[in-house]
Amino acid sequence: MAPEHFVSRLELAAQKDAVRWARRHASDVLNAWCVQTNHLDTAALVVSELVTNAVRHVIKAAPATGSVRLALILRHRGTDLIVEVADPDVQPPLLQGVAEPGAESGRGLFIVESVSKEWGYYFPPTGGKVVWSSIALS
């Protein structure tokens, strides 16, 4: 595995505006890291989908808890960008069946899968889960 060149971590509250802040942070960080413009849209899309999924599932699992935190981690490894979203939910992400036309949700992981080199998830020793996506920068 190639050494990490850059790492950024942003803690977010599990609320609806987390997606906007995560995209803004990713855009600022990737611009500072001089990531090519054609990869910025892909990264923003992956960040949006992964953070949206995390927020939805965490809010659904613990709607009364306002202090649930998420983390967005960006790792630039030269030829790859790794986007990770950590949340306290232990349910693994699932690719759902094909979303109905006009449905407002159900496509997120299909989108992530289609634009990523690879994606997956793991359960860190600290609890919860991390869903990650690798985006080719070459």
Side-chain angles (χ1 to χ4, degrees):
M1 187 175 285
E4 292 180 358
H5 296 260
F6 304 105
V7 177
S8 173
R9 181 180 178 96
L10 175 66
E11 297 287 329
L12 297 158
Q15 53 194 36
K16 292 181 182 182
D17 68 346
V19 178
R20 178 171 41 95
W21 290 110
R23 272 196 318 260
R24 175 178 275 174
H25 175 76
S27 175
D28 291 347
V29 167
L30 298 180
N31 277 311
W33 290 349
C34 299
V35 171
Q36 293 179 357
T37 306
N38 57 321
H39 300 298
L40 296 177
D41 289 338
T42 301
L45 181 60
V46 169
V47 166
S48 292
E49 295 301 334
L50 294 183
V51 173
T52 296
N53 284 348
V55 168
R56 279 191 181 147
H57 293 286
V58 168
I59 288 174
K60 201 182 288 184
T65 308
S67 62
V68 176
R69 308 296 290 174
L70 308 174
L72 168 66
I73 303 104
L74 303 171
R75 301 177 193 278
H76 188 303
R77 293 184 170 163
T79 59
D80 294 318
L81 174 69
I82 310 300
V83 177
E84 297 180 332
V85 175
D87 69 62
D89 187 15
V90 295
Q91 295 298 316
L94 298 172
L95 282 170
Q96 298 177 359
V98 178
E100 293 292 321
E104 294 185 18
S105 64
R107 296 177 186 84
L109 289 177
F110 284 112
I111 292 169
V112 170
E113 184 175 59
S114 72
V115 300
S116 300
K117 187 166 110 177
E118 57 185 337
W119 76 276
Y121 65 93
Y122 64 92
F123 299 105
T126 55
K129 74 173 173 300
V130 175
V131 182
W132 60 269
S133 166
S134 175
I135 300 167
L137 297 178
S138 53

